Amino acid sequence: MTTEKAILTQDKTWFAACRVEDVVENGGVCIKYGDEQIALFYFTRRNEWYATQNECPHKKQMALSRGMIGTKGEEPKVACPFHKKTFSLRTGECLTGDSCSIKTYPVKVEDGLVYIKVDIH
Amino acid sequence: MKIIVVGNGMVGYKFCEKLIAKKLPNAEITVFGEEQYPAYDRVHLSDFFAGKKPEDLSLAPASWYADNGIDLHLGDPVQYIRPAIKLLQTHKGHIRNYDILVLATGSSAFVPRIEGIEKQGVFLYRTIEDLHLIAAYAKKARKGVVIGGGLLGLEAAKALLDLGIQDSHVIEYADRLMPRQLDESGAEILTNTLTSLGLSIHTGKNTARICGKESITGLEFTDGTSLETDLLVVSAGIRPRGELAVEAGLETGMNGGIVVNNFLQTSDPSIYAIGECALYNEMIYGLIAPGYEMAEVAVQEICRLSANSTQRTREFTGYDMSTKLKLVGTDVASFGEPFANGPEVRNIILKDSAKGIYKRLNVTADGKYLLGGILVGDAKQYNLLLQTCKNRILLPQHPEDLILPVREGKKEEGTGITALPDEALICSCEGVTKGAICQAVSDQGCETVDEIKKCTKAGTGCSGCLPMVKDLMVHTLKQQGKYVRNVLCEHFNYSRQELFDLIKLHELKTYNEVLDQLGKGDGCEVCKPAVSSLLASLWNEMVLTKGNDTSQDSNDRFLANIQRGGTYSVVPRIPGGEITPEKLIVIGQVAQQYGLYTKITGGQRIDLFGAHVSDLPAIWSALIAAGFESGHAYGKALRTVKSCVGSTWCRFGLQDSVSFAIEVEERYRGLRAPHKIKSAVSGCIRECAEAQSKDFGIIATEQGWNLYVCGNGGSKPQHALLLATDLDSATCIRYIDRFLMFYIKTADPLTRTATWLNKMEGGINYLRNVVVNDSLGMGAQWEAEMQALVNAYQCEWKVAIETPEIRKRFNHFVNAPGEKDPTVQFDSLREQKKAANW
């Protein structure tokens, strides 16, 4: 339902998700935003932040925030802990050849707080 | 030459793409499309509900048309055509002349005449517009029904499930699902699978009336039964869009299909029709591959006209309607003549209702050729069978082998690919042959599937052929004698053994140090766990410290095994399988308190399933307080040392196997290795502990112990081999120390001891020389290194619960600690629970 909302409305807002130190280095945590679960990744090695849906579209498991992150070439990616399907953290595209993709969210850090751009519920 | 294309669906777009590639001089191309979106991938329409956006499904953005000089008009359907003066007018009032007109108007959903079909809450399933409407209405719907149990109907039913309508039904007029593709048994297996996924299937039902005042409230059937529903999706087949052609006086068929010849010309030679609106040989081709083939033929024909040539190169002669698709996660395929029967035909049928698998091959009576078949539940062999059928390849002596599950001793691949002729069509969507793929590898240097996709377009349509493309690539590379160096991944140009020595030499302690000093880039899910395992094997430091937590495999990161639904299982160590009644009671109490499913494992311990990640620290606090410690069931590490009771109770027992098993398990507990390690100790040669199926197994003799190594169960069971006989306990331990260190240092990642030995030159004799005769002179060093690891052991769970920094990571939501994942669901089974199906 969230995807469908995103298409029909343009109403977005920056949501203050957590503090920088709440997030593991070079890994992910799960953010609760209403009924939405967002995987937030701090790619410390590259000093980059990413956010995606937490659900792996393959078997619909809320698990991507527990996955290992890394790169394929220059492309940052996350591997689902269940069956190691990998997805681009930048575009959400599946990198292991499946047609499924994941939603991504813009992230910004200000004054030690991490903000995620989300659809207004 | 003015070319106008009416319709901007997949086939209309493909026509433009192919025409542009020909670079015709003086071609002016105009496209009129009815929908608001530029051409999109209708085949994967239901992905829209699984999170895809319209842009994701788009075949080319509007800018592509502009870049290629195509005049694209969206939302502007053509209203009429006047063939006599080669002119058309559109809805928005454009009047255009053409030299060539191509009708790619596609098809529309067939709407059956049912009373009440105009009510609110009744939808079609055809366009992105339809999906928007369904998605919006579904928010207030709790029950949903799909009329039509064909391909598209089942896609629609999956869409309803994806939209969260759990009570979803499928109504089919015929006596079974997918009557065009499946026979009765195939449909029965598919029905069972779909039912287990939560869909209710009703066959042999004819809808008489749609009930409700303004909005739908239910359906009534001709047999007098009824079904309540809030939403109805009608997917009862397609009708070609031939209105324009009828009005223009072109020849059309019964259902409005536009009659075409072998060159896709309609009854007016300046007008062509391609795709689902075209009626060729009294048949509508409702699949994408024949549509693309029609586009190709029409393009070649137009090029011929443009060049004033009389030589025709390609014609359309019908198309194979074989299909393979994934329906709600289940493979369904039918090819050739799926229903062939009678005295001239031999049917070979495999049906496994427990596994949800049905396979049928129709073979000529002499057993030589494949005529067609059906695959449900497992369609891995589809491509091979299709090629065997299409190319009339002689069948092997026992054609049933083609569909039987692969067993030990038989190669999974092999016979198939190499036997195919070069002209065998591998990708039927894009028309790519085996020869073209092999050539891409050998002549154009493609060495990955992605490169082949870019180079040949193979696998860019339905992507069903990709496994075959990969096999062809590997096969071709091997033929060229290409050597693939055994490196870890793109980030490390070393083998595991080389890395082990380098990490030790440089005394590196964290994954980031290893990557900085020995690798490049930013790591991945292959090198992270492999390097983490090496660090643990070398230094045995608590795996979650020093920032190494996120370089662990997920199970190691949470010190538990992730299970379906995202909960974890907990396995406390029970050395040798010996446990006091008091400890058994504690396990029972913990399981009761946290609502866990309990099961005895194969390794003589107890597994507790269904623990929420945020409950793990409390569960372990209770277990540790009762004297338990981590069982490392989550790690590539020593698992269990099984035992039989031996001489303490058994009248045949020669030695105290339980005490020795406990000693061995407590020595190597927490030892991380390239793969998991299992062991067992039996008290006599009756071997009740099954030691000969373990990575190292010990069997009591009158004089002491016999030591066996490199066995395993699993997918390829292998018996352990005898390494040394009649050892005293201390010598036995020393040999195991050496054996394990040798394995840890030299095995490839994720390689069990059996596979490691199988690859070892000289085999067990060489290994015996190294371990028993110390032929490498490493014995003393390995024993010392093992002793250091043993001394460094600490229970990881004890450290985790006592270290606040680590403990706080055991939460599902970082911004709502303690709150559990609300999507976790359980079903009940035999008075316990189980994970809900996925």
Side-chain angles (χ1 to χ4, degrees):
Chain A
M1 296 300 287
T2 52
T3 313
E4 183 251 340
K5 259 183 201 154
I7 294 159
L8 296 182
T9 72
Q10 293 300 316
D11 302 323
K12 307 255 185 191
T13 183
W14 286 105
F15 164 63
C18 60
R19 292 168 305 165
V20 167
E21 61 265 32
D22 291 334
V23 187
V24 285
E25 295 200 347
N26 294 306
V29 294
C30 178
I31 298 289
K32 178 183 163 73
Y33 171 65
D35 292 339
E36 223 167 316
Q37 296 196 19
I38 302 171
L40 173 65
F41 301 95
Y42 182 16
F43 209 142
T44 325
R45 284 187 66 86
R46 296 160 63 102
N47 195 26
E48 291 167 351
W49 291 84
Y50 295 100
T52 70
Q53 66 186 57
N54 191 33
E55 184 185 78
C56 175
H58 174 221
K59 290 289 182 187
K60 309 250 179 288
Q61 301 287 297
M62 286 294 183
L64 291 180
S65 59
R66 300 179 203 168
M68 283 179 280
I69 61 172
T71 50
K72 178 185 185 185
E74 276 303 304
E75 192 71 13
K77 62 172 181 174
V78 60
C80 175
F82 276 89
H83 304 93
K84 296 275 154 51
K85 302 257 177 207
T86 61
F87 301 91
S88 162
L89 290 171
R90 232 167 26 84
T91 66
E93 181 199 355
C94 180
L95 302 174
T96 29
D98 294 82
S99 58
C100 52
S101 64
I102 56 172
K103 183 180 176 183
T104 60
Y105 303 76
V107 186
K108 69 174 180 183
V109 176
E110 273 174 22
D111 302 329
L113 283 180
V114 186
Y115 294 84
I116 303 175
K117 198 169 197 179
V118 291
D119 307 323
I120 295 174
H121 283 180
Chain B
M1 184 157 58
K2 289 190 178 117
I3 301 168
I4 299 185
V5 183
V6 185
N8 190 226
M10 296 180 78
V11 173
Y13 163 75
K14 186 54 80 177
F15 173 83
C16 293
E17 188 192 275
K18 287 176 182 288
L19 191 60
I20 289 297
K22 298 285 183 197
K23 296 195 168 66
L24 275 191
N26 309 325
E28 284 174 40
I29 309 171
T30 307
V31 176
F32 290 101
E34 183 181 51
E35 284 191 70
Q36 296 293 344
Y37 300 97
Y40 54 87
D41 181 355
R42 220 184 286 273
V43 174
H44 294 105
L45 200 58
S46 54
D47 291 356
F48 179 73
F49 290 118
K52 288 251 181 178
K53 305 179 180 111
E55 307 87 85
D56 297 331
L57 296 176
S58 160
L59 295 172
S63 58
W64 178 85
Y65 295 87
D67 293 347
N68 287 290
I70 299 176
D71 186 16
L72 174 68
H73 298 262
L74 295 173
D76 193 8
V78 171
Q79 282 196 312
Y80 62 78
I81 304 165
R82 295 288 171 260
I85 50 171
K86 296 193 176 181
L87 175 140
L88 58 75
Q89 178 170 354
T90 71
H91 177 71
K92 289 185 182 164
H94 291 289
I95 298 177
R96 295 290 164 91
N97 275 108
Y98 61 79
D99 296 310
I100 298 284
L101 183 67
V102 178
L103 300 175
T105 46
S107 63
S108 57
F110 167 59
V111 184
R113 286 189 194 165
I114 304 172
E115 186 191 333
I117 194 111
E118 73 293 341
K119 291 193 198 306
Q120 284 177 32
V122 181
F123 301 93
L124 297 174
Y125 188 78
R126 188 71 189 151
T127 63
I128 287 192
E129 212 56 50
D130 293 334
L131 302 202
H132 274 304
L133 295 171
I134 294 172
Y137 201 87
K139 286 181 200 165
K140 48 186 181 185
R142 296 177 59 205
K143 281 186 83 164
V145 174
V146 175
I147 291 185
L151 209 147
L152 214 54
L154 294 178
E155 288 261 324
K158 167 166 195 305
L160 293 188
L161 288 180
D162 284 344
L163 284 170
I165 302 180
Q166 303 206 334
D167 193 1
S168 291
H169 301 254
V170 175
I171 311 291
E172 169 58 45
Y173 174 72
D175 60 353
R176 61 178 192 272
L177 291 178
M178 302 187 71
R180 279 164 179 231
Q181 286 87 9
L182 300 182
D183 60 9
E184 244 172 63
S185 296
E188 178 197 325
I189 293 286
L190 180 63
T191 300
N192 291 345
T193 307
L194 296 183
T195 306
S196 74
L197 292 172
L199 281 174
S200 305
I201 312 285
H202 313 268
T203 54
K205 288 264 183 202
N206 193 359
T207 309
R209 210 163 73 81
I210 295 168
C211 319
K213 281 186 181 164
E214 285 188 352
S215 305
I216 181 172
T217 55
L219 299 171
E220 278 177 20
F221 304 105
T222 49
D223 60 4
T225 58
S226 61
L227 184 63
E228 280 182 17
T229 188
D230 306 320
L231 183 154
L232 174 67
V233 178
V234 178
S235 176
I238 56 166
R239 278 287 153 89
R241 296 277 304 270
E243 317 92 82
L244 273 178
V246 173
E247 199 270 343
L250 301 179
E251 189 186 346
T252 50
M254 283 263 292
N255 292 328
I258 308 165
V259 175
V260 292
N261 64 14
N262 289 11
F263 305 97
L264 287 316
Q265 252 169 341
T266 66
S267 53
D268 178 314
S270 301
I271 304 180
Y272 293 77
I274 56 177
E276 290 179 331
C277 65
L279 185 68
Y280 173 80
N281 220 349
E282 303 198 341
M283 175 142 174
I284 293 287
Y285 289 83
L287 289 178
I288 192 59
Y292 282 5
E293 172 67 14
M294 289 180 182
E296 175 68 34
V297 172
V299 163
Q300 297 219 3
E301 185 65 10
I302 290 165
C303 289
R304 183 185 68 82
L305 289 176
S306 160
N308 274 324
S309 157
T310 49
Q311 205 172 357
R312 287 175 142 148
T313 49
R314 193 150 169 171
E315 57 186 308
F316 188 81
T317 53
Y319 206 88
D320 179 58
M321 292 298 275
S322 304
T323 39
K324 175 190 162 189
L325 31 114
K326 235 186 172 61
L327 277 175
V328 204
T330 309
D331 280 338
V332 177
S334 81
F335 59 93
E337 302 171 39
F339 306 119
N341 223 329
E344 297 300 309
V345 181
R346 190 175 139 198
N347 299 118
I348 301 172
I349 290 173
L350 171 80
K351 182 174 172 184
D352 185 336
S353 49
K355 287 186 180 160
I357 289 174
Y358 175 75
K359 300 179 183 183
R360 164 177 173 167
L361 294 186
N362 307 318
V363 176
T364 51
D366 57 11
K368 282 189 175 162
Y369 300 105
L370 183 59
L371 298 168
I374 295 170
L375 303 169
V376 178
D378 170 16
K380 278 202 280 294
Q381 302 103 330
Y382 170 75
N383 279 313
L384 205 59
L385 294 173
L386 177 63
Q387 298 303 335
T388 308
C389 176
K390 271 202 214 167
N391 295 295
R392 280 184 75 79
I393 294 173
L394 211 55
L395 287 170
Q397 195 186 355
H398 302 289
E400 62 272 23
D401 288 351
L402 292 173
I403 52 169
L404 285 175
V406 176
R407 293 215 193 81
E408 202 196 356
K410 284 188 191 163
K411 281 203 170 168
E412 179 116 26
E413 25 151 33
T415 45
I417 288 176
T418 42
L420 291 179
D422 272 356
E423 50 286 358
L425 203 58
I426 303 296
C427 171
S428 45
C429 295
E430 292 285 344
V432 187
T433 60
K434 173 184 166 184
I437 292 168
C438 295
Q439 210 178 4
V441 177
S442 55
D443 297 357
Q444 306 187 45
C446 297
E447 295 193 355
T448 66
V449 172
D450 282 346
E451 285 170 19
I452 295 176
K453 275 165 92 172
K454 273 194 197 124
C455 189
T456 65
K457 291 210 152 194
T460 55
C462 72
S463 70
C465 61
L466 281 183
M468 229 176 169
V469 172
K470 190 180 174 196
D471 288 348
L472 275 176
M473 178 189 79
V474 171
H475 176 72
T476 313
L477 281 176
K478 264 191 196 159
Q479 273 188 328
Q480 294 179 313
K482 287 235 165 104
Y483 169 69
V484 185
R485 199 175 126 79
N486 181 22
V487 298
L488 217 50
C489 66
E490 66 176 76
H491 304 106
F492 288 97
N493 206 19
Y494 298 108
S495 70
R496 183 185 176 279
Q497 186 176 352
E498 289 163 342
L499 264 184
F500 182 96
D501 292 333
L502 286 168
I503 294 172
K504 189 176 171 194
L505 190 72
H506 295 282
E507 291 188 30
L508 305 176
K509 299 288 175 77
T510 70
Y511 172 77
N512 276 323
E513 286 172 14
V514 176
L515 185 55
D516 289 341
Q517 295 212 21
L518 304 173
K520 57 176 188 279
D522 297 302
C524 68
E525 73 281 0
V526 174
C527 59
K528 281 186 170 184
V531 169
S532 298
S533 164
L534 287 173
L535 290 169
S537 291
L538 273 164
W539 317 119
N540 207 6
E541 292 179 331
M542 162 54 173
V543 293
L544 301 185
T545 55
K546 297 191 175 172
N548 280 336
D549 51 346
T550 49
S551 62
Q552 305 295 331
D553 225 331
S554 176
N555 283 352
D556 274 313
R557 180 172 164 198
F558 292 97
L559 303 177
N561 295 45
I562 196 165
Q563 307 288 358
R564 280 182 185 226
T567 61
Y568 286 88
S569 69
V570 169
V571 187
R573 188 169 294 289
I574 299 175
E578 181 185 85
I579 186 165
T580 61
E582 290 73 19
K583 279 187 159 178
L584 268 179
I585 288 166
V586 170
I587 288 184
Q589 286 168 335
V590 167
Q592 272 181 338
Q593 185 178 348
Y594 294 94
L596 306 176
Y597 165 86
T598 53
K599 186 178 184 305
I600 310 286
T601 71
Q604 298 187 340
R605 41 195 198 172
I606 298 169
D607 207 339
L608 310 154
F609 289 78
H612 284 273
V613 67
S614 52
D615 282 341
L616 288 172
I619 290 170
W620 275 105
S621 298
L623 290 170
I624 287 170
F628 286 104
E629 55 183 8
S630 170
H632 295 92
Y634 45 81
K636 304 300 179 204
L638 179 86
R639 296 285 171 82
T640 70
V641 181
K642 276 173 76 171
S643 70
C644 66
V645 289
S647 59
T648 52
W649 292 91
C650 177
R651 68 187 190 279
F652 300 113
L654 297 170
Q655 310 280 348
D656 181 357
S657 46
V658 181
S659 298
F660 197 44
I662 293 171
E663 184 186 338
V664 171
E665 181 158 347
E666 291 190 335
R667 180 169 180 81
Y668 303 114
R669 66 190 162 185
L671 177 71
R672 280 189 161 74
H675 211 305
K676 61 185 171 187
I677 311 170
K678 297 180 173 185
S679 177
V681 183
S682 277
C684 77
I685 198 56
R686 284 168 191 79
E687 246 284 67
C688 295
E690 297 164 336
Q692 289 168 97
S693 66
K694 303 297 179 195
D695 293 280
F696 62 97
I698 302 159
I699 300 175
T701 65
E702 300 236 357
Q703 283 79 32
W705 308 102
N706 283 352
L707 178 60
Y708 294 77
V709 292
C710 300
N712 67 207
S715 58
K716 269 192 173 173
Q718 184 168 327
H719 274 144
L721 298 172
L722 185 62
L723 187 78
T725 54
D726 292 329
L727 306 170
D728 58 68
S729 297
T731 310
C732 188
I733 296 271
R734 273 179 41 228
Y735 286 176
I736 298 170
D737 281 359
R738 294 175 181 183
F739 163 73
L740 288 176
M741 287 310 296
F742 187 34
Y743 164 63
I744 288 170
K745 280 173 95 92
T746 59
D748 280 335
L750 301 178
T751 304
R752 291 284 297 266
T753 54
T755 319
W756 171 68
L757 180 68
N758 294 344
K759 286 191 202 164
M760 190 183 292
E761 243 177 274
I764 185 71
N765 289 326
Y766 177 77
L767 181 62
R768 186 179 295 116
N769 245 334
V770 172
V771 172
V772 179
N773 305 327
D774 198 11
S775 61
L776 296 179
M778 293 294 290
Q781 185 185 329
W782 287 343
E783 286 165 35
E785 284 171 353
M786 181 62 85
Q787 194 56 48
L789 293 178
V790 170
N791 295 344
Y793 168 81
Q794 50 188 339
C795 170
E796 285 163 354
W797 265 111
K798 189 160 185 293
V799 179
I801 58 175
E802 287 171 354
T803 315
E805 264 309 296
I806 297 176
R807 184 166 180 152
K808 78 169 187 198
R809 293 297 171 204
F810 291 87
N811 271 306
H812 183 69
F813 296 112
V814 74
N815 60 341
E819 205 170 305
K820 288 169 181 155
D821 179 359
T823 66
V824 168
Q825 286 185 333
F826 301 110
D827 294 336
S828 60
L829 183 69
R830 291 182 294 277
E831 294 168 47
Q832 293 203 72
K833 65 180 179 189
K834 75 175 195 70
N837 273 334
W838 59 22

